Amino acid sequence: MSIITSLVQNTNPSTHTQLIMKKLTFIILCLLTTISMAAQKPNQERKEFSPEKYRQNLEAFITKEVCLTPEEQQKFYPLLGEMMEAQRKLMDQEREIMRSGKNAKTEADFEKIISKSTALQVENRKLEQTYYKKFGKVLSWEKIYKVRIAMVRFNMQALRKFSPRKGKWNGPQKGKWDRNKKWPNKKN
């Protein structure tokens, strides 16, 4: 009430109106700021990644998608675990090699980094081939194919789940890029 009485005591009508408008604008801005801050959700912490939980969820997903029997599960999952552990070690090595690029100065340094990185990727593919042959001894090739598809689907879902955008990307937009077209900025 003191604001209103102080405003009424002002004798100049145009100044009086301007003062009222300024104070009302200030009060409205304060209210809107408070309301918008209250409406915002607090930053949710990013979920911590657990390799054990990932593996359990992956196995459950594969079992459901591929219809693995308990006997097949018993033989297959230890092999899959071995392969994934070996791949993780190779990926860790590659990550360290790529990080060393921050200290690279010459073209020869960068060439060495790329050469080592691609060699590890080739080694990873050879490792996969070796393990897929082992998988062929415990599962049918049709089921191995379905396992590969299930793993890709599971990883896509996991990426969406941990993505800060919460899975809003729906894949490439139709009509945006045709695989038969040439790359942009590429000379003919």
Side-chain angles (χ1 to χ4, degrees):
M1 285 306 219
S2 63
I3 296 173
I4 295 172
T5 55
S6 67
L7 291 173
V8 172
Q9 291 173 356
N10 191 345
T11 56
N12 188 349
S14 67
T15 309
H16 173 70
T17 307
Q18 288 176 350
L19 191 57
I20 289 174
M21 292 303 291
K22 285 181 182 178
K23 288 188 178 188
L24 283 174
T25 303
F26 177 73
I27 291 170
I28 290 171
L29 283 174
C30 288
L31 284 172
L32 289 175
T33 303
T34 305
I35 291 169
S36 68
M37 287 175 60
Q40 290 178 356
K41 294 179 183 176
N43 277 345
Q44 295 176 342
E45 289 188 27
R46 193 171 180 172
K47 294 179 183 178
E48 190 68 30
F49 178 76
S50 165
E52 295 81 24
K53 184 84 170 158
Y54 173 84
R55 186 171 174 178
Q56 289 172 354
N57 291 340
L58 175 65
E59 289 178 5
F61 188 83
I62 290 172
T63 299
K64 180 182 171 197
E65 292 290 307
V66 182
C67 301
L68 294 179
T69 66
E71 182 181 295
E72 289 171 329
Q73 292 174 44
Q74 231 177 9
K75 293 176 182 177
F76 173 69
Y77 287 127
L79 291 173
L80 180 64
E82 286 175 21
M83 180 183 82
M84 290 174 66
E85 181 63 26
Q87 286 180 316
R88 187 187 60 77
K89 288 178 182 175
L90 289 173
M91 285 186 273
D92 288 346
Q93 288 176 20
E94 183 183 1
R95 189 176 306 115
E96 287 303 313
I97 288 168
M98 291 303 289
R99 284 184 183 151
S100 70
K102 293 176 184 176
N103 302 325
K105 304 256 188 275
T106 66
E107 285 293 311
D109 291 341
F110 288 111
E111 180 184 8
K112 192 182 298 184
I113 289 168
I114 297 299
S115 178
K116 286 180 181 179
S117 173
T118 54
L120 285 170
Q121 290 173 355
V122 169
E123 190 176 339
N124 190 355
R125 289 300 182 190
K126 288 180 180 178
L127 179 77
E128 268 188 27
Q129 284 181 327
T130 301
Y131 272 93
Y132 278 103
K133 288 177 184 174
K134 291 179 182 181
F135 296 164
K137 294 177 182 175
V138 296
L139 295 177
S140 71
W141 287 104
E142 179 185 3
K143 284 193 175 185
I144 294 170
Y145 172 80
K146 289 179 180 180
V147 164
R148 283 187 66 127
I149 300 298
M151 288 176 70
V152 169
R153 289 185 58 221
F154 178 82
N155 286 325
M156 291 293 287
Q157 288 177 9
L159 285 174
R160 277 191 215 114
K161 183 179 178 182
F162 285 97
S163 166
R165 292 174 23 168
K166 298 192 179 11
K168 292 183 181 176
W169 187 68
N170 295 324
Q173 299 298 311
K174 191 171 187 174
K176 293 284 184 183
W177 186 253
D178 180 2
R179 85 168 35 152
N180 296 323
K181 290 183 182 177
K182 294 187 185 293
W183 285 99
N185 301 326
K186 191 172 183 179
K187 295 179 182 177
N188 293 331

